[in-house]
Amino acid sequence: MEDLFGSGAASDDVSEDSAAAGPLTDAGWMASQRSPLAVRMRPRTLDDVVGQQHLLGHGSPLRQLAAGAEASGPAGPSSVILWGPPGTGKTTLAHVIARGPGRKFVELSAITAGVKDVRRVMDEALTARDLYKKTTVLFLDEIHRFNKAQQDALLPGVENRWVVLVAATTENPSFSVVSPLLSRSLLLTLKPLTDDDISGLLQRAVADARGLAGRVELSEEALEHLVRLSGGDARRALTALEAAAGVAFGDADAVGPEMPATDDGERDDGEPGLAGDGAPDAPVLVELRHTERALDAAAVRYDRAGDQHYDVASAFIKSIRGSDVDASLHYLARMLEAGEDPRFVARRIVISAAEDIGMADPTALQTAVAAAQAVQLIGMPEGRIILAEAVVHLATAPKSNAAYMGINKAIADVRAGYGGSIPMHLRDAHYPGAKQLGHGKSYKYAHDEPHSVATQQYPPDDLVGKDYYQPTANGAERDIAARLERLRRIVRGQ
């Protein structure tokens, strides 16, 4: 940990004394640029953390952990699981806790660590507790990458407080963390940063001596563009700012410094004794064109195996159901741009056509099935056009879930035990001896009856008169409702 929190990390920071002494020289500023901007701007105290104020109140578990060994009193520190999207401060909070006094801090990544590493940390934590009266704080990044056996190895240390676990994950812990470990830890949910949070963070990075040290200025348009592209991700915002600043510096170097004008309108040639000699360089202006060149597009926050997969798909279907064609196309684009399997999208569209449009527009299902088949045939990226056509058809079509509700009611009755013997006249009569059993006796062939509709009993005795399908007054179901009323009267002999 020395490299992260000892002398190695200190070398990347600019001390408060040097920041107060005035602007950095070129050599001093360049020496501070060895770490990425996002690392250099990492907060040192909880008061510097942007956002997450719902977790940082007085007496909160994170405050107790950051305050050090004596802060928790007789209650003792709690193990915590930090769950949130990337760039919301999980690793930052762990690093702030690492600066707390009186505790040993150990960091493991679930990407590279295994059970052997966990057991070694537990053994060292017991030694630190028994011999030196120190509590070990174990920061485990990407805990969702640990399998069940690896997570189980943490249980004795967490339960007996050999270590205080601070685990970070971008996946829902309810699905990715074993229940025994969840029950022994506090689950703290981090929220995406707001636009105001990101904007303040970027402006701080521009001015702070650890950041760009006032050597650049951000135009309003560039700031708004960076905030929009960040998607609530602080790390992405700072990385984008650093990239845009690099483009701006490159442009400035290509053009060359502009000589200031003298009082008589002539350009200062920089000779000693003339105005402007020795004056500090003006900050480089980062404009919208610089951010556009540095970044092609906003990164789509989407994980195909996690919450975002289900959340975006859910919003997609609900937007179609709600007849918001524009939102439907947005969520379609969001899934496709994130690399979602277009066959998954096509299947959801087919389901939506049957569930939410139904008989209000029977052609919607035809369009959806045709789109699914065409996407299989054509592939991407042209498949997006086919999917978009199907989405527009479904979102603008009249809606009815009558068929969907009808089958659900029928299934509920079957599960409840309704539905007795099949009427004798409907039973199979094709095999020898069936007629002697009464099968098919008195069955009326519908095509022999007027309008090809026969008056006879079709359901079991205990379901006679039960109406499962109840059409709406939307779209084609308006005509179906009237026709269905006549059909039921004829069939039931009313």
Side-chain angles (χ1 to χ4, degrees), residues 163-175:
V163 298
V164 175
L165 176 66
V166 179
T169 178
T170 57
E171 304 289 341
N172 190 332
S174 299
F175 305 124

Side-chain angles (χ1 to χ4, degrees), residues 156-309:
V158 173
E159 183 167 16
N160 297 299
R161 201 171 285 161
W162 302 340
V163 298
V164 175
L165 176 66
V166 179
T169 178
T170 57
E171 304 289 341
N172 190 332
S174 299
F175 305 124
S176 59
V177 178
V178 295
S179 297
L181 191 56
L182 276 177
S183 69
R184 291 164 174 80
S185 309
L186 299 177
L187 176 59
L188 305 180
T189 304
L190 282 70
K191 300 177 181 178
L193 301 183
T194 66
D195 287 353
D196 288 341
D197 292 333
I198 297 294
S199 178
L201 180 64
L202 292 173
Q203 293 175 26
R204 183 196 301 177
V206 167
D208 197 296
R210 293 179 297 156
L212 299 177
R215 292 175 62 90
V216 302
E217 287 183 1
L218 266 178
S219 72
E220 286 295 325
E221 294 83 1
L223 177 61
E224 291 175 3
H225 190 57
L226 291 173
V227 170
R228 181 175 62 83
L229 293 188
S230 71
D233 185 328
R235 186 184 298 107
R236 183 174 298 280
L238 291 171
T239 302
L241 171 61
E242 190 169 29
V247 173
F249 276 120
D251 283 358
D253 289 342
V255 173
E258 184 179 353
M259 295 300 179
T262 59
D263 292 341
D264 61 2
E266 298 295 329
R267 292 289 174 185
D268 186 350
D269 61 4
E271 293 179 5
L274 296 178
D277 183 51
D281 292 339
V284 173
L285 180 63
V286 178
E287 300 179 81
L288 178 60
R289 59 191 176 92
H290 298 131
T291 62
E292 289 175 338
R293 285 164 56 191
L295 305 164
D296 287 336
V300 180
R301 190 183 296 284
Y302 191 87
D303 51 319
R304 288 180 58 185
D307 290 344
Q308 284 290 316
H309 168 81

Side-chain angles (χ1 to χ4, degrees), residues 3 25-26 121 151 175 186 281 313 342 362 374 408 418 463 466 480 493:
D3 290 341
T25 64
D26 283 349
V121 171
Q151 292 185 32
F175 305 124
L186 299 177
D281 292 339
N408 287 348
Y418 290 99
L463 293 177
K466 182 78 172 185
I480 293 175

Side-chain angles (χ1 to χ4, degrees), residues 51-74:
Q52 315 310 335
Q53 296 307 304
H54 63 294
L55 300 178
L56 301 176
H58 180 71
S60 66
L62 292 178
R63 288 277 180 189
Q64 298 292 332
L65 282 172
E70 303 301 325
S72 299

Side-chain angles (χ1 to χ4, degrees), residues 1 4-5 82 90-95 105-110 136-142 164-169:
M1 295 309 298
L4 284 176
F5 303 110
L82 304 175
K90 299 182 294 297
T91 304
T92 289
L93 290 171
H95 286 191
F105 188 87
V106 179
E107 179 176 5
L108 292 178
S109 172
T136 298
V137 176
L138 170 60
F139 175 53
L140 183 59
D141 201 9
E142 306 281 351
V164 175
L165 176 66
V166 179
T169 178

